[in-house]
Amino acid sequence: SYELTQPPSVSVPPGQTARITCSGDALPNKYAYWYQQKPGQAPVLVIYKDSERPSGIPERFSGSSSGTTVTLTISGVQAEDEADYYCQSADSSGTWVFGGGTKLTVL
Amino acid sequence: EVQLLESGGGLVQPGGSLRLSCAASGFTFTTYAMTWVRQAPGKGLEWVSGISGSGGSTYYADSVKGRFTISRDNSKNTLYLQMNSLRAEDTAIYYCAKADESGVGGSLDPWGQGTLVTVSS
């Protein structure tokens, strides 16, 4: 089955830039999406179609794509950004698939 | 404002059944595919099932195929997940989520608050 691979954890000091990667063989041909999940809360969409930001999401969140890897970048990380982040895309049958998630720690 | 409200979770014995519901409001329900995504305690997100806006097409993860059935009642703006032959590994918070205009495989936004299903004797 198709898999999206994320690092289990990323740590950055406040004010620095966090980069979370997601790798998958089909990513050159499929859009990627990113979700933020804080403890006890439902996931929230923060990036869609690789690099688009929904309304209400701070400008410090951005997305990019290069080959089989997509990257979520959080510039000027704040304490409130500490959360789990999940990438999502579609598999060969077009249905949804999630990465394993990355825990972002703001040191 | 788009809202999704799940219900129907609870404690069930292995081999038992449960039906989850997701009441939707704030958008034209028939226009959008809908999904169920679950999260086992302390684990990541796992896509479970999806259904097209008309209900004519359904999709399942291999882990639930043959045991779970997704459906929708567009007259009631409600999504369902019938879960049969439940196993301990089905224990999770179950979220319903609205797909974007691209349909199956696209972004999911928003998500409901989730309903907890516990399978245990």
Side-chain angles (χ1 to χ4, degrees), chain A residues 33 35 37 41-43 45 86 88 90 94-96 98, chain B residues 35 39 44-45 47 59 95 104-108 111-112:
Chain A
Y33 309 89
Y35 302 87
Q37 186 181 33
Q41 298 183 18
L45 179 70
Y86 295 90
Q88 174 248 309
T95 52
W96 297 266
F98 289 94
Chain B
T35 69
Q39 187 169 36
L45 302 174
W47 171 74
Y59 312 88
Y95 297 99
V104 177
S107 67
L108 300 175
W111 298 52

Side-chain angles (χ1 to χ4, degrees), chain B residues 37-61:
Chain B
V37 178
R38 68 185 181 185
Q39 187 169 36
K43 302 297 185 182
L45 302 174
E46 179 190 13
W47 171 74
V48 172
S49 184
I51 187 168
S52 63
S54 66
S57 297
T58 57
Y59 312 88
Y60 299 95

Side-chain angles (χ1 to χ4, degrees), chain A residues 17-92:
Chain A
T17 296
R19 294 181 179 86
I20 300 172
T21 59
C22 173
S23 299
D25 289 342
L27 288 177
N29 304 307
K30 298 285 189 182
Y31 283 125
Y33 309 89
W34 290 95
Y35 302 87
Q36 176 193 68
Q37 186 181 33
K38 296 182 178 179
Q41 298 183 18
V44 173
L45 179 70
V46 294
I47 294 291
Y48 66 99
K49 291 184 179 179
D50 292 345
S51 60
E52 300 295 320
R53 194 174 53 249
S55 61
I57 301 301
E59 290 183 7
R60 63 181 181 273
F61 288 86
S62 63
S64 61
S65 176
S66 179
T68 59
T69 299
V70 293
T71 302
L72 172 68
T73 300
I74 310 172
S75 303
V77 166
Q78 301 181 6
E80 67 197 53
D81 300 329
E82 188 163 286
D84 293 327
Y85 291 86
Y86 295 90
C87 63
Q88 174 248 309
S89 187
D91 64 13
S92 58

Side-chain angles (χ1 to χ4, degrees), chain B residues 4-117:
Chain B
L4 301 171
L5 185 62
E6 301 97 335
S7 60
L11 175 64
V12 61
Q13 292 186 339
S17 298
L18 212 55
R19 189 177 84 154
L20 306 183
S21 300
C22 172
S25 61
F27 64 103
T28 304
F29 188 63
T30 58
T31 300
Y32 295 92
M34 298 290 294
T35 69
W36 289 97
V37 178
R38 68 185 181 185
Q39 187 169 36
K43 302 297 185 182
L45 302 174
E46 179 190 13
W47 171 74
V48 172
S49 184
I51 187 168
S52 63
S54 66
S57 297
T58 57
Y59 312 88
Y60 299 95
D62 288 342
S63 58
V64 306
K65 201 171 293 182
R67 300 187 298 123
F68 290 11
T69 302
I70 191 171
S71 63
R72 62 193 296 162
D73 185 337
N74 286 343
S75 69
K76 295 181 178 180
N77 287 359
T78 302
L79 174 73
Y80 302 101
L81 185 68
Q82 177 67 44
M83 304 185 295
N84 298 331
S85 303
L86 282 162
R87 308 166 180 167
E89 54 264 37
D90 295 318
T91 294
I93 296 173
Y94 285 73
Y95 297 99
C96 70
K98 168 184 164 290
D100 68 15
E101 62 276 4
S102 63
V104 177
S107 67
L108 300 175
D109 179 53
W111 298 52
Q113 87 290 346
T115 187
L116 177 62
V117 173

